Amino acid sequence: NASAFKETSDVPDLMPVLFITIACGAISGFHSLARSGTTVKQVDREKDTLFIGYGGMLWESFLAVLVIMAVGVRPNDQLARDAGLNVHEKGGILVDECMQTSDPDIYAAGDCVLCKHRVSGQMVYVPLGSTANKQGRVIGTNLAGGKETFPGILGTAVAKHCDFNIGCTGLTEKKARELGYNVVTTLAPAPDHA
């Protein structure tokens, strides 16, 4: 009856947190596992009721009416692999700042490419429509004889669920610590005017 999923270290860290939302609309209450170091271990279904278990050293669980898991996506780079272009081992076409691939006659943009993160300097996979649009404009300018570059991304994303707005930008706490930054974190739950 239980439905469990395993943690895997080979999946890219696409979103800084896994948001689990309980109840919406007529049912009051909102709970988010947006705490640093929180890993969902299991989601069980029993008699049309969902139970979420999470934690590291401590195991906690709670009743859920609705569970939304944002676990990310992987780039479809098979065409690039078949063409012999350089791709990242975990997926994603490698491009330069002009959006050229390892073959200077082939450009790539959007959800299939890795981008330079403007804080870490590392190549990352953050598939966003606004980024794809900007990359497409860079390619168009360069194909028309111009010399345009794409500076990279910060990974800014905003989503709305019911009456809650959720946003992120920059590095995750975990990634910032890995890179040697002195990190301070905070949650700021408050109404917004966006």
Side-chain angles (χ1 to χ4, degrees):
N1 226 4
S3 170
F5 54 93
K6 297 189 297 187
E7 300 171 58
T8 58
S9 58
D10 63 337
V11 176
D13 187 11
L14 301 177
M15 295 298 286
V17 290
L18 172 66
F19 290 102
I20 294 184
T21 306
I22 302 170
C24 178
I27 303 169
S28 63
F30 175 80
H31 184 77
S32 171
L33 297 181
R35 291 183 289 243
S36 176
T38 300
T39 302
V40 174
K41 300 289 187 181
Q42 188 170 324
V43 178
D44 291 331
R45 182 181 178 135
E46 186 176 304
K47 296 182 182 177
D48 294 326
T49 305
L50 297 171
F51 294 92
I52 314 316
Y54 66 95
M57 298 297 290
L58 298 175
W59 178 264
E60 300 178 63
S61 64
F62 53 88
L63 174 67
V65 176
L66 172 69
V67 176
I68 299 173
M69 297 189 305
V71 295
V73 295
R74 291 183 187 263
N76 183 352
D77 59 10
Q78 191 58 51
L79 182 62
R81 289 176 187 274
D82 293 346
L85 301 178
N86 291 344
V87 297
H88 190 271
E89 64 187 26
K90 292 183 180 180
I93 303 169
L94 298 173
V95 295
D96 65 13
E97 66 277 355
C98 296
M99 306 308 298
Q100 286 178 298
T101 66
S102 53
D103 181 331
D105 293 327
I106 300 176
Y107 292 77
D111 293 355
C112 62
V113 302
L114 296 176
C115 302
K116 180 179 177 183
H117 196 288
R118 294 181 74 172
V119 176
S120 71
Q122 297 177 331
M123 297 302 285
V124 295
Y125 180 64
V126 183
L128 297 171
S130 57
T131 301
N133 184 292
K134 292 171 189 168
Q135 292 169 340
R137 290 172 187 261
V138 168
I139 291 173
T141 298
N142 292 338
L143 288 174
K147 183 65 175 168
E148 189 69 44
T149 60
F150 181 75
I153 57 107
L154 289 173
T156 302
V158 179
K160 183 169 184 161
H161 178 67
C162 297
D163 292 331
F164 297 95
N165 294 309
I166 304 164
C168 62
T169 194
L171 301 173
T172 64
E173 177 185 5
K174 177 181 174 184
K175 189 63 173 178
R177 288 188 192 284
E178 287 174 5
L179 294 172
Y181 288 96
N182 184 15
V183 178
V184 176
T185 62
T186 185
L187 291 177
D192 68 42
H193 301 285

